[in-house]
Amino acid sequence: MRMSNVAVIGVGMAPVKSSSGKSLTELFVQAAKEAIEDSGVSKIDAMYVGNMMSGFLQNQEHLGSLMASGLGREGIPAYKVEAACASGGVAMNAGVKAVLSGLDRIVLVGGVEKMSDNSTPKVTAGLMMAEDRLKVATTGVTFVGLNALIAREYIRKYNVHHEEIAQFPVLCHGNAMDNPKAQFHKKITIDDALQSPLVADPLRLFDCSAMGDGAAALVLAPVEEATKLTDTPIEVAASAVATDALSLYQRKELTVFEGSRRAVDEAFRRSKLKPSDVDVVEIHDAFSVLGIMALEDLGFADKGSGAKLLRDGQCERDGKLPVNAFGGLKARGHPVGATGVYQLAELTLQLSNRAEKCQVPNATVGLSQNVGGIGSTVAVHILRRA
Amino acid sequence: MRMSNVAVIGVGMAPVKSSSGKSLTELFVQAAKEAIEDSGVSKIDAMYVGNMMSGFLQNQEHLGSLMASGLGREGIPAYKVEAACASGGVAMNAGVKAVLSGLDRIVLVGGVEKMSDNSTPKVTAGLMMAEDRLKVATTGVTFVGLNALIAREYIRKYNVHHEEIAQFPVLCHGNAMDNPKAQFHKKITIDDALQSPLVADPLRLFDCSAMGDGAAALVLAPVEEATKLTDTPIEVAASAVATDALSLYQRKELTVFEGSRRAVDEAFRRSKLKPSDVDVVEIHDAFSVLGIMALEDLGFADKGSGAKLLRDGQCERDGKLPVNAFGGLKARGHPVGATGVYQLAELTLQLSNRAEKCQVPNATVGLSQNVGGIGSTVAVHILRRA
């Protein structure tokens, strides 16, 4: 079966906020209603909800039925899909498969996370659920700490200076200035980043994405339906998920995410596209160094030279390879289980020329990379203007 | 697309135990390896893991990558799927859709839950994550308490005596005597059930399924592949999921699960089968009264008369409609996120004449019902000897 027969026909995004004052259900319903309204459909056949931590942080599971009820659509098939910070991306994968299966026609894919009603230590413990509890989390290392190991090794191995890596958050914070739904509207400089408080050496505050509440949603339909419903159906050219050994200690190499390579290879193979066909990219920059590494692992730069793309201005909106044009995880925000869906909603707006001040000129192909754990799950999607 | 082109080609089940002494990963890997060996395949294209409470009980999420790593199959697409106690059933739904989508060929569907390393109050709180945290759980009512409301109303409305309802656990405990993987090997009588300690009036100890550890797994393949790999491919004739309003207070009627009705209607419609075609049933008897209600909601008995089927001996293995021939939730056990997969593994053994002492004679069509929350999500599957 060809991958080319699913399209995105509607998108919705709640603004990402450090503290939304809304419940999980309120957040999800806000994004889902916006997506349904945007699509113009009335009937939803099935729903997939991406979320990582609702059990741990809200004592709440069963988000499928909860959200279907919250939307006033009780009855529809609905369930939760989880792969740590890639929960949104894998929810999309489940939704795409549902449409391709022929069992569901109009599918809502949503992601939601609420991090604000818990203490930072509790959320820090929650994020470590992405790693092996018995063999790694019990050592006391935090998720930032593990990423600091990667940053340290990346800097050593490729002799890259921290200020080159810090270009990534600077780019994201700049782009988010134009995104009204971004968590942060604050331009920063390289110096701001390098002088921000140390979190886990060498990672500083501005190297790290923040805690936030958010929800995003998409409506999917078969392409032949989509062309009847909208003038700008955005085709899902590929939906690929790959894993890697869960834990860093199991890897041969710290500075390459094999999961990214596997997923992107699969996505390009399925879509018959190549890196040079991509006009705009959404990258999972949970930490600055991961943004740089992703440029390499996805095939846009050689290993060790990802930062050069930024230095040359190529990743700006008017550059050769615009990256995180809405602000990325660093500045749009990273409400964990929703992030992958935000990326896809933003790409859809780009490709249908509805990105307003965040618009990249003449974008027809967009790629998103959503990472769970320390590269342990990677979802790559390629969207294309039909 | 026809539903008839997915088959089960291998099954595996860890024994259900009150305390397994095994980790989540060890449990899952035991069942998954058994299923893969049973199927005879070497390559798995994707994996779906059903689980409800690992975040809350084990501080562990990201079971897709964790289990792929545990199986020595890092790299494959893998993620967790959750719908409370129906997590196993919806994992199967995701797996079936993956094969039908054409994106995955050989798919492993597994379910796992470990309840033994936490206190009963903690697990009781965990199970309430299936209900609305903000509007229901905060009242202090337990999951057993909510089911007791249903039992009380069922007894009142249909004037059914408790001893009629207690036939269900008696049947299950009898059947489990022949299942070496069952949690309980203890025959009970109606009097044992009626005189057991009160848990939540009118539900007594033997009306309630118990806490347990377990994991089960299935290997799926397209039917055309399956016929090359095994002499007894078991076809998935239907995979249907439906929700209902999440909470009891939102329902018009307590003694009917509309989710069951919706899912079974869809399953019969897709498979072009009817209740009288079904030779063996696996029912979600988390509580005795739910077993009786399921017989009615699934179309095997009129409302209020489910217990009559048991009184007439129809639900015994040699009866007209054998039910829970391996012991059901009550006696095989109910390791929450694995239960729906156990049901399907057991049906597969029945339909391929491999159920040994639990074998039902001449079974060609089997139906399973897996319930999440208080009927808030229901997964119904119909399997058929190809």
Side-chain angles (χ1 to χ4, degrees), chain B residues 57-257:
Chain B
L57 296 183
Q58 277 85 31
N59 290 11
Q60 179 71 67
E61 290 291 355
H62 211 173
L63 301 194
S65 175
L66 177 69
M67 299 310 172
S69 292
L71 266 174
R73 289 173 187 268
E74 51 274 356
I76 62 169
Y79 42 88
K80 168 170 163 173
V81 177
E82 186 273 334
C85 311
S87 296
V90 298
M92 176 66 166
N93 185 255
V96 167
K97 283 172 176 166
V99 176
L100 287 176
S101 77
L103 296 184
D104 300 322
R105 207 174 50 92
I106 307 293
V107 167
L108 184 75
V109 171
V112 62
E113 203 82 56
K114 179 167 160 64
M115 301 161 83
S116 65
D117 54 0
N118 280 275
S119 65
T120 302
K122 174 94 181 184
V123 175
T124 301
L127 291 168
M128 268 307 277
M129 299 194 301
E131 248 284 4
D132 189 321
R133 166 71 177 169
L134 298 176
K135 294 180 183 155
V136 177
T138 45
T139 65
V141 65
T142 64
F143 201 68
V144 190
L146 288 168
N147 282 280
L149 289 176
I150 291 177
R152 184 177 289 277
E153 175 65 2
Y154 185 89
I155 288 168
R156 186 200 65 75
K157 185 164 185 177
Y158 299 112
N159 195 26
V160 173
H161 289 258
H162 196 162
E163 62 191 69
E164 296 181 75
I165 294 171
Q167 295 178 101
F168 211 100
V170 170
L171 172 77
C172 288
H173 273 274
N175 285 342
M177 295 298 291
D178 299 321
N179 175 6
K181 295 189 169 179
Q183 183 172 6
F184 299 111
H185 297 106
K186 177 188 168 73
K187 257 195 143 107
I188 63 165
T189 64
I190 298 278
D191 274 355
D192 290 336
L194 295 179
Q195 284 159 30
S196 63
L198 202 57
V199 179
D201 194 11
L203 296 177
R204 293 176 177 271
L205 187 67
F206 283 121
D207 290 303
C208 308
S209 55
M211 286 164 54
D213 298 352
L218 309 169
V219 179
L220 306 182
V223 165
E224 61 273 20
E225 292 271 330
T227 50
K228 291 177 217 158
L229 292 164
T230 168
D231 292 338
T232 54
I234 301 302
E235 184 187 30
V236 183
S239 174
V241 174
T243 56
D244 196 355
L246 180 68
S247 302
L248 277 193
Y249 78 85
Q250 299 170 307
R251 311 264 179 89
K252 289 193 192 106
E253 168 88 76
L254 294 187
T255 57
V256 173
F257 282 171

Side-chain angles (χ1 to χ4, degrees), chain A residues 296-319:
Chain A
E296 303 161 3
D297 295 339
L298 297 173
F300 300 115
D302 293 334
K303 278 314 293 183
S305 66
K308 286 189 192 144
L309 297 187
L310 283 96
R311 198 194 310 146
D312 301 346
Q314 292 190 39
C315 300
E316 306 288 334
R317 284 198 203 111
D318 58 358

Side-chain angles (χ1 to χ4, degrees), chain A residues 136-256:
Chain A
V136 177
T138 45
T139 66
V141 66
T142 64
F143 200 69
V144 190
L146 289 169
N147 282 280
L149 289 176
I150 290 177
R152 183 176 290 275
E153 174 65 2
Y154 185 90
I155 287 168
R156 186 200 65 77
K157 183 164 186 176
Y158 299 111
N159 195 25
V160 173
H161 289 258
H162 196 162
E163 62 191 73
E164 296 181 76
I165 293 170
Q167 294 177 101
F168 210 101
V170 171
L171 171 77
C172 288
H173 273 274
N175 285 341
M177 295 299 289
D178 299 321
N179 175 6
K181 296 190 171 179
Q183 183 173 5
F184 299 111
H185 297 105
K186 175 186 170 75
K187 255 193 144 102
I188 64 164
T189 64
I190 299 278
D191 275 353
D192 291 335
L194 295 179
Q195 284 159 30
S196 63
L198 201 55
V199 180
D201 195 9
L203 295 177
R204 292 176 177 272
L205 187 67
F206 283 121
D207 289 303
C208 308
S209 55
M211 286 165 53
D213 299 351
L218 310 168
V219 180
L220 307 182
V223 165
E224 62 272 19
E225 292 270 331
T227 51
K228 291 177 216 157
L229 291 163
T230 169
D231 292 338
T232 56
I234 301 303
E235 184 188 28
V236 183
S239 174
V241 174
T243 55
D244 196 355
L246 179 69
S247 302
L248 277 193
Y249 79 84
Q250 300 170 306
R251 311 264 179 87
K252 288 193 194 107
E253 169 87 78
L254 293 186
T255 58
V256 173

Side-chain angles (χ1 to χ4, degrees), chain A residues 3 237-242 259-273 380 382, chain B residues 45 77 103-104:
Chain A
M3 270 303 288
S239 174
V241 174
S260 284
R261 288 188 168 178
R262 289 182 186 118
V264 82
D265 284 354
E266 169 85 357
F268 281 132
R269 190 179 67 76
R270 294 264 182 197
S271 63
K272 298 186 170 54
L273 294 168
V380 169
I382 300 179
Chain B
D45 296 322
L103 296 184
D104 300 322

Side-chain angles (χ1 to χ4, degrees), chain A residues 19-38:
Chain A
S19 183
S20 63
K22 295 193 175 196
S23 70
L24 273 175
T25 305
E26 287 165 345
L27 284 164
F28 185 88
V29 166
Q30 179 179 1
K33 284 198 166 162
E34 190 177 307
I36 292 168
E37 193 177 338
D38 188 42

